[in-house]
Amino acid sequence: MRTVVAKFGGTSLADAGQFRKIRQIVKADPDRRFLVASAPGKRFADDIKVTDLLLACFEKADAGLPFDGELARIRDRYQSILQELGLDFPLDAEIAGLSEHLASAPDREFTASRGEYLCARILAQYLGFTFVDPAWCICFDANGDLDMGMTKRALGASLKPLKNAVIAGFYGADEDGRIRTFSRGGSDITGSLAACAIGADLYENWTDVPGLLAADPRIIRKPRTVDFLSYRELRTLSYMGASVIHSDAVLPASDLGIPINIRNTDNPSDPGTMIVRKLPKGQTKKPVIGVAGMTGVSVIQVEKVMVSDGSGFSAIMLDILKQRCLPFEQCLTGIDTITLVIRNDLLNPCKDDLMDEIRRELNPDFLGLKENLSVIAVVGEKSTEDSSANVRVLEALTSAGVEICTINQGAGKLNLLIGVPEEKYRDAIKAIYATIEEDKENHI
Ligand code: ASP
């Protein structure tokens, strides 16, 4: 018998109808023994996710304001699911407990985690599966970082004896028993950890899209759904904003080579996107898997004659960033130049100060700052093996009148990273997509 871990996202649990779809999906394959549940998400465009309602409760409680309105909305969301599914569940007692917590010493992470806690308990009851509370087996350290070794052991020990289970996503607890959450969308990480802890054959990630899209659908109408890609390609695309799965969810599954399958709850017969270490025999994939990007970055350019003479200039530059705990997206060094790409939200609070420090410490011949840029990643392990795709991408940008501010391709040849002015970001994505797909019809 195979073992499949299936994670269901917020829209897949948004109402009773979605719970019924999950039951069908689980019944259709008895290998789907371990499920991970997110909190109920949006039922329609203007709806509010339960996690956001919980956070709104916390903000109000923390400010000493009444939070009853938001709490009542949360109760109603669960009540309508329970009522339609005909389940007898102690919802009022749970909500009363949460209300008491909020009124006494409210904790942000505990409050945020209650969406998954309640949802997983209800799903477990509905399916007749065991409920597993990750507070017992997803272990964080005192700083709120995941303790991977301990989690693998504790989660494996909790799950292995069970025939089947529903685990709440998104949270765990530290050594003191305090609830800790991952960043938003973190139930994906829980799913990957569960798959890793029990050595699953497959990690399914059920969501509301057909799979990973080759480009942002807000820019490209009906982009291609990627059928196969590697973990490295997925990690890059999701880091760069392709939002199908949390970027930190890739590592635990990829460590053990567990394939990740992105599936659509509304269309379960669709094979979705398969993320693998190696393509199955006979499968080929497109050289360029997809294109993604992030806006809101700046470029710092430092020039000094003899930068590359081994005097430690680059090391001093990186040390300045390290001392400030300021991460960078890219660091390009050339003859007598260093170029740093940094996110605006991190740079802006310390921009002037940082520029002064660079001037003071490095005494550069030239120091420049270009703001309002975006970085685009053209991703595909195969595409960069021969340079024709790179050439086509750069030609397409030039023909579209997009200034190329930075170019970066490491020896790993996984992706080509290109910095372009923010106002040209959409044009750049369209030009690149058109050239990689040879399709000019799909622009929005
Ligand atoms: N419910 C949390 C969120 O909205 C976590 C998750 O859905 O994975 O971010």
Side-chain angles (χ1 to χ4, degrees):
M1 192 188 198
R2 291 162 74 243
T3 300
V4 176
V5 170
K7 179 258 166 178
F8 291 92
T11 44
S12 305
L13 289 151
D15 60 24
Q18 297 298 82
F19 273 66
R20 290 196 188 96
K21 285 183 197 162
I22 291 179
R23 183 157 71 175
Q24 291 305 320
I25 290 167
V26 173
K27 268 192 171 173
D29 184 351
D31 292 343
R32 293 182 177 124
R33 292 169 48 213
F34 297 104
L35 314 183
V36 175
S38 190
K42 292 186 180 195
R43 294 158 294 181
F44 42 85
D46 296 337
D47 202 8
I48 304 179
K49 292 178 177 186
V50 163
T51 306
D52 288 320
L53 289 170
L54 285 162
L55 288 170
C57 276
F58 167 78
E59 297 301 341
K60 289 207 165 161
D62 199 41
L65 298 168
F67 49 81
D68 316 345
E70 285 77 11
L71 196 57
R73 287 181 77 169
I74 295 166
R75 186 196 167 278
D76 291 350
R77 289 289 303 267
Y78 288 108
Q79 183 55 34
S80 72
I81 293 171
L82 291 167
Q83 205 168 323
E84 272 192 58
L85 299 180
L87 297 175
D88 183 17
F89 183 87
L91 181 64
D92 286 333
E94 290 289 343
I95 297 290
L98 178 56
S99 177
E100 245 172 63
H101 168 82
L102 286 163
S104 49
D107 180 86
R108 191 172 198 278
E109 291 177 86
F110 175 82
T111 308
S113 74
R114 296 304 87 186
E116 271 72 12
Y117 165 78
L118 287 173
C119 198
R121 274 191 61 184
I122 294 171
L123 184 64
Q125 184 172 333
Y126 180 53
L127 298 175
F129 281 26
T130 305
F131 166 67
V132 172
D133 190 335
W136 315 325
C137 48
I138 300 250
C139 312
F140 286 78
D141 64 21
N143 299 323
D145 295 322
L146 180 74
D147 183 334
M148 184 63 122
M150 186 104 120
T151 296
K152 272 194 209 164
R153 286 192 295 277
L155 196 52
S158 300
L159 298 183
K160 276 180 190 157
L162 301 174
K163 192 168 137 232
N164 49 39
V166 179
I167 311 137
F170 187 42
Y171 71 93
D174 65 20
E175 288 161 21
D176 297 332
R178 187 177 155 206
I179 294 292
R180 299 291 195 147
T181 54
F182 294 115
S183 58
R184 295 298 301 265
S187 302
D188 290 340
I189 307 172
T190 312
S192 189
L193 290 170
C196 179
I198 55 166
D201 297 281
L202 177 66
Y203 170 31
E204 291 179 339
N205 194 292
W206 291 84
T207 177
D208 56 355
V209 291
L212 182 86
L213 300 175
D216 185 339
R218 290 165 300 184
I219 303 174
I220 304 293
R221 187 179 300 122
K222 292 205 183 135
R224 167 175 55 87
T225 303
V226 178
D227 44 8
F228 280 95
L229 76 161
S230 70
Y231 299 115
R232 294 171 76 214
E233 289 165 334
L234 173 73
R235 163 103 184 125
T236 308
L237 282 168
S238 52
Y239 182 81
M240 292 300 287
S243 60
V244 75
I245 186 169
H246 196 297
S247 58
D248 291 346
V250 181
L251 216 64
S254 69
D255 263 356
L256 292 190
I258 300 167
I260 305 173
N261 189 194
I262 311 289
R263 300 285 293 264
N264 186 353
T265 305
D266 296 323
N267 194 0
S269 58
D270 197 306
T273 297
M274 199 64 146
I275 300 131
V276 287
R277 190 178 281 161
K278 263 196 175 165
L279 278 187
K281 270 213 174 97
Q283 277 290 342
T284 51
K285 60 178 186 178
K286 273 183 158 288
V288 178
I289 288 297
V291 53
M294 57 165 76
T295 53
V297 297
S298 295
V299 170
I300 296 177
Q301 188 187 344
V302 192
E303 286 190 20
K304 187 170 169 93
V305 177
M306 305 300 279
V307 158
S308 327
D309 71 348
S311 59
F313 193 89
S314 310
I316 299 173
M317 181 66 240
L318 295 183
D319 202 44
I320 292 175
L321 298 181
K322 188 176 165 214
Q323 297 300 331
R324 292 172 171 269
C325 298
L326 184 60
F328 56 85
E329 298 303 313
Q330 294 171 47
C331 173
L332 315 172
T333 54
I335 302 161
D336 298 345
T337 68
I338 302 176
T339 304
L340 290 157
V341 180
I342 302 181
R343 275 170 39 195
N344 288 345
D345 58 332
L346 302 174
L347 178 65
N348 285 345
C350 64
K351 189 171 63 191
D352 296 338
D353 210 34
L354 174 69
M355 297 301 266
D356 283 347
E357 189 176 352
I358 297 174
R359 261 185 224 104
R360 228 178 21 249
E361 298 293 326
L362 296 170
N363 190 24
D365 300 333
F366 173 81
L367 178 62
L369 175 70
K370 254 192 188 178
E371 295 177 283
N372 302 325
L373 294 189
S374 42
V375 179
I376 295 174
V378 184
V379 180
E381 290 179 300
K382 283 261 175 285
S383 68
T384 47
E385 275 173 15
D386 77 90
S387 45
S388 68
N390 284 359
V391 172
R392 276 193 293 133
V393 164
L394 298 179
E395 269 173 6
L397 290 175
T398 312
S399 323
V402 178
E403 182 198 349
I404 296 168
C405 303
T406 59
I407 302 183
N408 181 8
Q409 185 185 294
K413 289 193 163 184
L414 170 64
N415 54 44
L416 175 66
L417 297 169
I418 306 165
V420 302
E422 201 150 273
E423 71 274 13
K424 289 284 186 180
Y425 175 68
R426 292 175 70 91
D427 291 348
I429 295 279
K430 286 175 188 176
I432 294 170
Y433 189 77
T435 193
I436 62 178
E437 298 293 308
E438 283 150 23
D439 167 12
K440 295 197 176 13
E441 304 301 311
N442 280 347
H443 295 177
I444 293 177

